[in-house]
Amino acid sequence: MANPAELFGNNVFNMKAMREHLSEATVKSLNETIKTGKSLDANIADEVAEAMKEWAVSKGATHFTHWFQPLTGATAEKHDSFIVPDGEGGVVCKFSGAELIQGEPDASSFPSGGLRATFEARGYTGWDPSSPAFIKDNTLCIPTVFCGYHGEALDKKAPLLRSMNVLNEQICRLGKLFGVEAKQMAFATLGAEQEYFLIDTELYAARPDLQLTGRTLFGKEPAKHQQLDDHYFGAIKTRVIAFMEDLDATLWSLGVPSKTRHNEVCPAQFEIAPVFESLNLSVDHNMITMEVLRKTAERHDFVCLLHEKPYAGVNGSGKHNNWSVCGPDGKNWLSPGDNPHENAKFMTMICALIKAVDTHADILRSSVATAGNDHRLGANEAPPAIISVFLGDQLTDIIEQIEAGGAKSSKNGGHIHLGVDTLPTLPRGNTDRNRTSPFAFTGNKFEFRAVGSNQSCAGSNIVLNTIVAEALDEISTKLEEANAAGKDFNAALQDVLADIIKTHKRVLFNGDNYTAEWEAEAEKRGLPNVKKTPEALKAMTTEKAQKLFSKYGVLSEQELASRYEVYMEAYEMLIGIEAAASVDIAKTMVVPGAVQAIKELADVSGVTGKAVKALCAQISDHLEKTLAACDKTAAAKGWADQIAGMDELRAAVDTLESLVPADLWPMPRYEEMLFL
Ligand code: ADP
Ligand code: MG
């Protein structure tokens, strides 16, 4: 294996490549732009473009592309070669600053949710210098935002960057109140753990449902799957480790800091996790990771399934969104500090998160609402659709003390600070773990576990950044008012935090989120429990959501409305595709198999007894049910009836699978697909 340190970033126009290919002054100027978000000095664009091209061509690149993230949830690219005719029958390779900074892909086929009908059909891509260019498929990829003529966001990156700016502002404002010396911009950090399944290419090719919808629409539960927990963290099979080695090497060369790999709970399920990075970069890297997962799988005769629930009845795949904040002092603000002062800031952050998540649980839920994720949330391995926050015993104890009038002792710590510094010293390395909570504090970050494996992380982090910024805004406003009125800072802070806790503690839950008791308790507390995407997405259409996103300039009312439309339409379309595929597969594959089974049984009915006749009748009965459910599904109008039809159809088909001889069953079974 190649040395990771030598491999890392080989295909990235990173600091090292910049220093080699650019003048010192240009590196400095570009670095300023990257670090501070200051707009790019237009004078250096040509030099940077030329250097990028030289570097890329030296590595075999022939094309460049503006790489962006439209609302489809995937990434998009249109390649242009570097060639320019030289007038003598030959060509030279050129790449200008203008080409680097802005592109104009034909955008008419990307979903815009009506935005472009109102404005103009054009779409523009604009360079995001904070995410470095990289080479894949011999193409120089330039990360870009994708906007309409008037700057309206048609993608996921533009609002993500806006939300990062807003969070930066509010974090710095709070920092000022705590006397933090600002050395840099504050930014959210993200480490996205990615779960996925692998399946043999040959088996995949025999499952039209997987090919068309990413999940199995039929399939009887096998006798053995994950019950024995013998796959989780198990020794990795030879073929799979070869795939993983290839995967890591490719990711490292693309500058993706892939760190952890292991077998997941379900057989044929795995996880990859990176070292966390600045949010924008980490989101890009997760998008790259998903693509590299798929492509690397192909080279190893696998198909990588990123669907949230490829197989019913066993674990689905999520994406654990580990989120924190790196403050203007360069420190993690969700890490308990060394002194009471820092801990006061830490507890303020915790309270801001509680306030944000409780106030906007509906919007956070809407950010993970997809057809695929509906199968996962609330199943027995994934967090429920109820958004609650896990803090662990120790922090909960301190929260309760603050609510009661000021924290004086830490449950396990023993450090007591009285008087001015009313908050205790908190031991580091909070080891409490709760794997069932959708939003869990894990010692120095919050882990949002409801994100679907196939989703871009952008959506949930746009929401997280914005709702936390709003909470911080309100907290800082109160503290500033208290300051202006000459009130004692610590006393004012105590009051503000106690108020937040009183109002929002209903969102705190340390118990088992998978139980029916919690569902009942959550209902009593008035927490929303929205199970289906169409209802969850409605949270994007409320006045509360419009005010939130437009107040902070993250999404205008129109941009927000367009997103609702795009996601809702995608949902309805997908359910429609699933319904049509279900009917088609049932009629053209399952029914003929079952008819053949009846024929074979009928052939021997003269010489067999009652049991065989009964079996024949049973198959016939479920065949009738299958055909009736086909008609019902095909005739269904709208997603709710289509889902009801598909449920009925699946029940009939899965029963047939348990009755029809294996050699007549027209598709690979779960037991074949789940074990590699
Ligand atoms: P777990 O026990 O939940 O698996 P890990 O320490 O392995 O916890 O971290 C899981 C993910 O969280 C990794 O991708 C890691 O890089 C990320 N992570 C760690 N610290 C931070 C942070 N400060 N901000 C964002 N993500 C982080
Ligand atoms: Mg984790």
Side-chain angles (χ1 to χ4, degrees):
M1 280 300 293
N3 176 345
E6 281 165 19
L7 206 56
F8 196 84
N10 265 348
N11 289 327
V12 183
F13 194 67
N14 53 17
M15 221 38 205
K16 184 168 159 259
M18 280 186 219
R19 284 210 190 89
E20 275 169 24
H21 290 85
L22 290 167
S23 68
E24 209 174 299
T26 306
V27 172
K28 205 170 154 221
S29 166
L30 190 53
N31 210 12
E32 276 278 301
T33 302
I34 294 168
K35 287 228 165 97
T36 62
K38 203 184 82 175
S39 59
L40 185 83
D41 175 359
N43 297 320
I44 67 165
D46 277 329
E47 188 193 335
V48 175
E50 174 64 18
M52 270 190 192
K53 181 213 68 190
E54 283 298 305
W55 168 82
V57 169
S58 79
K59 293 193 163 285
T62 53
H63 290 69
F64 71 93
T65 184
H66 277 196
W67 181 78
F68 60 102
Q69 295 161 34
L71 297 180
T72 54
T75 56
E77 52 191 72
K78 183 194 80 175
H79 302 181
D80 278 303
S81 75
F82 291 120
I83 66 161
V84 175
D86 65 0
E88 297 178 359
V91 294
V92 287
C93 286
K94 282 201 172 152
F95 184 46
S96 69
E99 286 172 308
L100 166 65
I101 289 179
Q102 201 187 77
E104 195 197 325
D106 177 5
S108 50
S109 294
F110 290 109
S112 78
L115 266 190
R116 271 196 313 265
T118 344
F119 297 97
E120 222 198 86
R122 288 182 179 175
Y124 298 86
T125 48
W127 180 31
D128 166 21
S130 64
S131 181
F134 56 93
I135 299 171
K136 75 176 173 77
D137 305 328
N138 293 325
T139 301
L140 173 68
C141 300
I142 297 145
T144 53
V145 294
F146 179 45
C147 294
Y149 186 70
H150 297 278
E152 61 279 10
L154 299 174
D155 72 343
K156 305 203 169 190
K157 187 189 265 276
L160 184 73
L161 291 172
R162 293 176 191 162
S163 74
M164 285 184 76
N165 278 337
V166 175
L167 184 68
N168 167 48
E169 269 167 39
Q170 296 302 335
I171 289 280
C172 290
R173 185 172 159 208
L174 185 74
K176 243 189 217 154
L177 285 162
F178 278 91
V180 172
E181 194 198 337
K183 292 189 285 198
Q184 59 176 61
M185 279 182 68
F187 55 90
T189 51
L190 170 70
E193 302 165 61
Q194 174 78 50
E195 293 175 334
Y196 61 93
F197 278 81
L198 292 176
I199 178 174
D200 265 316
T201 307
E202 205 182 315
L203 297 173
Y204 177 82
R207 294 283 319 206
D209 47 0
L210 278 180
Q211 293 173 52
L212 294 176
T213 70
R215 72 181 182 99
T216 53
L217 298 170
F218 303 112
K220 173 181 73 70
E221 193 175 310
K224 176 184 185 285
H225 43 88
Q226 63 184 42
Q227 303 96 321
L228 302 177
D229 281 332
D230 48 358
H231 192 254
Y232 192 56
F233 284 13
I236 302 167
K237 292 217 164 112
T238 313
R239 227 183 118 195
V240 175
I241 198 72
F243 155 82
M244 286 179 170
E245 283 180 354
D246 200 0
L247 173 69
D248 276 338
T250 309
L251 289 174
W252 289 334
S253 77
L254 288 166
V256 179
S258 166
K259 177 87 176 162
T260 308
R261 60 190 189 196
H262 62 80
N263 286 358
E264 254 302 328
V265 169
C266 185
Q269 191 188 25
F270 309 91
E271 180 180 303
I272 179 168
V275 178
F276 71 94
E277 297 175 284
S278 171
L279 173 58
N280 176 43
L281 189 58
S282 197
V283 168
D284 283 0
H285 281 166
N286 180 253
M287 297 307 289
I288 294 175
T289 300
M290 290 197 280
E291 181 181 328
V292 175
L293 273 166
R294 288 199 187 92
K295 286 189 172 167
T296 310
E298 266 177 48
R299 287 201 297 275
H300 292 259
D301 226 4
F302 287 128
V303 172
C304 175
L305 305 176
L306 288 170
H307 193 282
E308 284 78 11
K309 200 83 173 181
Y311 303 100
V314 293
N315 275 19
S317 298
K319 184 132 56 188
H320 291 176
N321 190 99
N322 292 277
W323 182 96
S324 190
V325 168
C326 178
D329 50 1
K331 291 185 184 168
N332 180 352
W333 278 24
L334 284 177
S335 197
D338 294 326
N339 55 60
H341 191 65
E342 281 192 357
N343 282 336
K345 190 177 87 227
F346 166 73
M347 288 312 300
T348 308
M349 288 297 291
I350 295 286
C351 288
L353 260 300
I354 294 172
K355 176 177 162 74
V357 173
D358 184 43
T359 309
H360 298 298
D362 58 336
I363 305 180
L364 205 50
R365 168 70 183 92
S366 77
S367 76
V368 296
T370 66
N373 219 17
D374 278 0
H375 294 284
R376 174 181 163 260
L377 295 180
N380 51 11
E381 87 287 357
I386 308 159
I387 305 286
S388 65
V389 176
F390 168 85
L391 289 181
D393 288 347
Q394 197 196 344
L395 267 186
T396 305
D397 177 53
I398 292 167
I399 287 282
E400 281 164 2
Q401 291 185 49
I402 295 176
E403 186 191 3
K408 295 193 171 50
S409 74
S410 158
K411 200 168 187 180
N412 308 322
H415 301 274
I416 301 171
H417 294 270
L418 299 166
V420 194
D421 300 313
T422 50
L423 288 163
T425 298
L426 304 169
R428 281 163 182 278
N430 184 328
T431 50
D432 277 5
R433 277 286 190 267
N434 178 328
R435 297 276 171 205
T436 69
S437 174
F439 203 88
F441 182 68
T442 52
N444 58 3
K445 61 189 184 289
F446 275 94
E447 188 169 340
F448 185 35
R449 301 201 181 102
V451 183
S453 53
N454 207 12
Q455 282 195 287
S456 157
C457 290
S460 33
N461 288 294
I462 291 168
V463 174
L464 255 177
N465 290 345
T466 313
I467 64 178
V468 173
E470 183 194 57
L472 291 172
D473 182 2
E474 288 174 25
I475 291 170
S476 291
T477 301
K478 286 199 178 133
L479 293 175
E480 283 162 3
E481 280 165 10
N483 261 354
K487 262 175 111 177
D488 172 63
F489 179 75
N490 287 298
L493 183 65
Q494 159 63 36
D495 288 349
V496 171
L497 299 192
D499 258 2
I500 291 179
I501 295 163
K502 278 196 190 86
T503 315
H504 299 289
K505 66 178 173 191
R506 65 173 189 162
V507 80
L508 300 178
F509 181 63
N510 289 344
D512 185 348
N513 290 254
Y514 293 174
T515 61
E517 289 80 43
W518 168 233
E519 222 176 305
E521 164 71 16
E523 195 182 338
K524 256 194 244 150
R525 294 190 192 183
L527 300 179
N529 181 7
V530 180
K531 296 206 165 126
K532 285 259 182 281
T533 292
E535 198 191 334
L537 288 178
K538 284 213 179 95
M540 296 171 71
T541 65
T542 61
E543 205 182 317
K544 178 170 78 99
Q546 289 165 352
K547 275 198 181 139
L548 168 78
F549 289 113
S550 58
K551 175 170 183 193
Y552 293 99
V554 174
L555 289 168
S556 70
E557 269 186 41
Q558 268 164 325
E559 286 171 330
L560 188 64
S562 74
R563 266 146 232 266
Y564 170 74
E565 222 169 279
V566 170
Y567 299 152
M568 196 55 214
E569 194 182 305
Y571 176 82
E572 287 174 330
M573 211 99 84
L574 212 112
I575 300 295
I577 292 171
E578 288 188 348
S582 293
V583 171
D584 195 47
I585 293 168
K587 279 199 166 164
T588 63
M589 295 172 75
V590 174
V591 169
V595 167
Q596 184 62 28
I598 293 174
K599 236 195 209 162
E600 288 183 8
L601 289 169
D603 271 357
V604 296
S605 63
V607 292
T608 52
K610 267 202 310 218
V612 173
K613 286 199 179 69
L615 176 60
C616 197
Q618 228 184 331
I619 296 177
S620 176
D621 179 34
H622 287 285
L623 195 53
E624 290 296 316
K625 285 187 175 143
T626 298
L627 285 166
C630 276
D631 289 345
K632 186 172 164 183
T633 310
K637 298 261 174 301
W639 58 269
D641 289 346
Q642 284 168 335
I643 289 176
M646 278 193 281
D647 285 347
E648 213 177 296
L649 182 52
R650 181 171 191 146
V653 169
D654 289 359
T655 310
L656 278 178
E657 191 183 340
S658 67
L659 302 171
V660 169
D663 64 331
L664 292 180
W665 196 247
M667 293 171 279
R669 297 159 177 278
Y670 271 27
E671 43 267 69
E672 294 170 75
M673 296 187 286
L674 283 175
F675 297 94
L676 296 173

